[in-house]
Amino acid sequence: MTKLLVLGGRFAGLTAAYTAKRLLGDKVDVTLINNTPYAAFRPGMPHVSIGVFKAEDLEVDLATALPAKGIRFVLGTVNAIDAKKNKVEYSAPDGKKENITYDYLVVAFGAKLGVEHLNGWDDYGSSVCEPDFATALHEKLEKFEGGNIAIGSGVFYQGTLKPRGKYPENWASVADSACEGPIFEMSLMIPAYLKKRGIMDKTHITIFSPGEEILTDIAKESRGVVKSLFAQAGFDTVWNFKLKELKKGEIVSEDGKTIKADIAIVLPPYEANDAVKNSTPDLFDDGGFVVTDEHMRSVKYPNVYSCGDSNQITVPKLGFLAVMTSRIAMQDLANRLGVPTKVDTYTPEVVCIADNPLEGFAIAVNDTTFYGGDEKIAQPSATNHIKKELFTKYFMWTNGDMALDKYLASW
């Protein structure tokens, strides 16, 4: 039986494992390695930070969910990929190093949150990118009685996309931030939370970005609307702010600029996974992301696929793109293993919903301008909030099996 090994249990890894098993059944033995025993629904972590959910409400137990679909689950942290020997080294929970071989590999362990690039992070940093971060931020916000809040993103250590994969030029570009959707979402949620607590009038909010302005991956017109919303809310905005250090009461950029911040809510710097430095070098580009063709197949090692954030092709780093790339990769694999399957065409699009659950509305974004297209929708409505709620319930109900995602993304 063909051995398929999937590295990572987030959107990309789960979609790859579930799709492979659905398409190939007993033709494939699927094993998934993840560094936590659960898969967190990360689009819900901002909601955790303001007390709408608890983190454990949004976690799928992988040791139960995966075997139920005929997929083996291994708890461990990937240390290295040897693409020449078809072997992966990982560390088990007890620290023991193990090796596992494969016929086909899916690299879906995502990127790394490079908090070590930020001096003072442990003392003064806050985020919503992981369950423990979101929970800690909620505790901090519950104690907050007014002052200054800064919301923004760190630098994206992306490299220069060299060598470049075999796909259309417009599919991937160098970006300032890995994804500023959570920043926009928090700019909606935090004021609503502070109003609920009666301390918004005691708080000043600053939005910052490492780029020329925020959300440079969507249309200029949509960015203009967002900036107008910030101005109407009385927010300060600071662009070209490359965060370097967090201190008590302020944050500092690489060039010495400061922003007052009693609480700094940050999308940390994104960079390549730690395993990259120990792995076969020519599997990756100069930023540590896997170089692939349009079917997510490595250009150097045809039995290796890369999906989601670990792939050079996915810019910005979005759950929507993670699911799409995984589906395409496993459709390609099915054909290679003798199961005729239509392979979807990769059509990159910025798709997200910035939710404001405390005030019952959300802004849905569908935008292709970053890729040379002309779709530029940024629509606020109560219906979009309901869509976010239903999407959350769908993920949890299916244990992260996003089989219907391509039909639901723009509904």
Side-chain angles (χ1 to χ4, degrees):
M1 188 183 298
T2 299
K3 293 191 294 184
L4 173 66
L5 178 61
V6 180
L7 308 181
R10 301 186 182 190
F11 278 127
L14 289 177
T15 300
Y18 285 135
T19 303
K21 202 64 184 173
R22 186 160 42 247
L23 293 176
L24 290 162
D26 292 339
K27 285 180 173 285
V28 65
D29 177 17
V30 182
T31 298
L32 185 147
I33 300 176
N34 195 53
N35 62 350
T36 61
Y38 58 82
F41 181 68
R42 282 174 174 77
M45 292 305 111
H47 299 68
V48 171
S49 74
I50 60 169
V52 174
F53 291 114
K54 292 183 178 179
E56 54 266 31
D57 296 334
L58 301 175
E59 294 173 356
V60 172
D61 177 13
L62 295 176
T64 301
L66 294 177
K69 295 288 183 77
I71 299 162
R72 179 183 172 219
F73 172 59
V74 174
L75 178 60
T77 300
V78 175
N79 300 320
I81 301 167
D82 188 335
K84 295 180 178 179
K85 294 183 179 179
N86 294 349
K87 182 176 68 174
V88 168
E89 179 195 278
Y90 69 94
S91 294
D94 62 3
K96 184 180 179 182
K97 292 184 178 180
E98 305 280 0
N99 288 287
I100 185 170
T101 60
Y102 60 83
D103 296 312
Y104 292 91
L105 177 69
V106 176
V107 182
F109 50 32
K112 174 189 173 186
L113 299 177
V115 295
E116 68 272 14
H117 293 287
L118 304 177
N119 296 331
W121 173 265
D122 290 343
D123 293 324
Y124 304 112
S126 298
S127 185
V128 293
C129 294
E130 293 291 346
D132 55 341
F133 287 166
T135 299
L137 176 56
H138 177 57
E139 293 171 357
K140 192 176 291 188
L141 287 170
E142 286 286 278
K143 299 173 184 176
F144 184 66
E145 295 300 332
N148 296 292
I149 295 179
I151 307 172
S153 60
V155 173
F156 183 16
Y157 293 99
Q158 183 185 9
T160 63
L161 300 174
K162 294 178 182 177
R164 198 178 184 93
K166 297 179 180 178
Y167 52 79
E169 186 77 14
N170 65 299
W171 282 7
S173 302
V174 174
D176 300 306
S177 171
C179 176
E180 291 187 310
I183 305 308
F184 180 40
E185 188 164 47
M186 292 306 291
S187 77
L188 301 177
M189 286 191 184
I190 291 296
Y193 169 83
L194 297 175
K195 289 174 188 174
K196 181 181 177 182
R197 288 197 52 215
I199 55 173
M200 183 61 203
D201 60 346
K202 300 178 183 179
T203 305
H204 184 74
I205 295 175
T206 301
I207 310 296
F208 67 93
S209 172
E212 293 295 327
E213 56 184 14
I214 197 170
L215 299 171
T216 53
D217 51 14
I218 65 173
K220 183 176 181 180
E221 295 89 339
S222 297
R223 296 199 301 271
V225 171
V226 171
K227 289 187 292 183
S228 294
L229 290 174
F230 291 165
Q232 291 169 18
F235 300 168
D236 282 339
T237 54
V238 181
W239 312 141
N240 294 305
F241 190 93
K242 295 177 172 56
L243 181 61
K244 178 183 179 181
E245 186 173 8
L246 300 99
K247 298 180 177 181
K248 185 176 181 179
E250 68 177 11
I251 58 176
V252 185
S253 70
E254 292 177 359
D255 59 1
K257 289 185 290 190
T258 61
I259 296 173
K260 291 181 179 180
D262 299 303
I263 296 179
I265 303 172
V266 181
L267 175 78
Y270 254 49
E271 63 182 351
N273 189 285
D274 280 340
V276 169
K277 63 179 177 288
N278 304 316
S279 299
T280 307
D282 59 354
L283 185 60
F284 306 96
D285 67 11
D286 63 351
F289 296 90
V290 182
V291 183
T292 74
D293 63 14
E294 74 277 10
H295 289 167
M296 315 308 144
R297 195 190 303 186
S298 165
V299 297
K300 290 285 187 178
Y301 302 93
N303 66 330
V304 176
Y305 292 90
S306 177
C307 307
D309 289 2
S310 63
N311 194 326
Q312 177 192 84
I313 208 171
T314 54
V315 187
K317 300 304 183 185
L318 292 173
F320 173 72
L321 298 182
V323 173
M324 188 191 304
T325 52
S326 295
R327 189 172 61 242
I328 290 169
M330 294 303 92
Q331 290 166 345
D332 181 76
L333 178 61
N335 281 289
R336 296 170 74 182
L337 296 182
V339 178
T341 304
K342 180 183 181 299
V343 180
D344 293 340
T345 300
Y346 184 64
T347 52
E349 180 175 2
V350 175
V351 174
C352 66
I353 297 179
D355 195 18
N356 184 354
L358 297 180
E359 295 180 334
F361 78 92
I363 298 176
V365 174
N366 295 83
D367 199 299
T368 60
T369 58
F370 190 67
Y371 312 102
D374 56 11
E375 185 176 31
K376 43 189 174 183
I377 299 170
Q379 181 65 48
S381 73
T383 301
N384 288 326
H385 164 64
I386 295 171
K387 288 180 181 180
K388 186 77 172 244
E389 283 193 334
L390 292 175
F391 183 65
T392 303
K393 292 179 185 296
Y394 169 65
F395 180 91
M396 299 306 299
W397 174 60
T398 64
N399 288 321
D401 187 357
M402 311 297 291
L404 300 179
D405 180 74
K406 64 179 178 178
Y407 305 109
L408 297 178
S410 301
W411 64 305

